[in-house]
């Protein structure tokens, strides 16, 4: 949050208030939502078929398999593997 605050020249407290009170989401959950969205975007790109799910997750900013899996399931309601199966046609 410090980096975002500095880049936008907005106090941390203001960012926190906007997210927590007005959007009902924590900063970490907000960031993780973008990470999951980017993971899905990359997963759908056939050029990434040779990468493992974990490799893609690490590329989008997750630091461990367990945090990625739990975050993904929290946001999408499915595990990453279950989600990938829904993409297979």
């Amino acid at each position: 949050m410090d980096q975002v605050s500095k880049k936008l020249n907005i106090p941390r407290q203001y960012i926190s208030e906007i997210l927590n009170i007005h959007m009902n989401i924590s900063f970490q959950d907000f960031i993780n939502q973008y990470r999951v969205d980017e993971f899905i975007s990359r997963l759908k790109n056939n050029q990434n078929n040779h990468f493992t799910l974990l490799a893609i997750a690490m590329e989008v900013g997750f630091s461990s398999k367990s945090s990625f899996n739990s975050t993904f399931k929290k946001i999408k309601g499915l595990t990453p593997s279950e989600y990938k199966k829904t993409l297979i046609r």
Side-chain angles (χ1 to χ4, degrees), residues 52-67:
T52 64
L53 296 179
L54 182 58
I56 297 170
M58 299 297 241
E59 281 290 314
V60 300
F62 287 98
S63 58
S64 74
K65 183 177 181 177
S66 62
S67 70

Side-chain angles (χ1 to χ4, degrees), residues 1 5 9-16:
M1 189 176 318
S5 174
N9 199 27
I10 298 172
R12 280 178 52 108
Q13 297 81 358
Y14 183 70
I15 296 169
S16 184

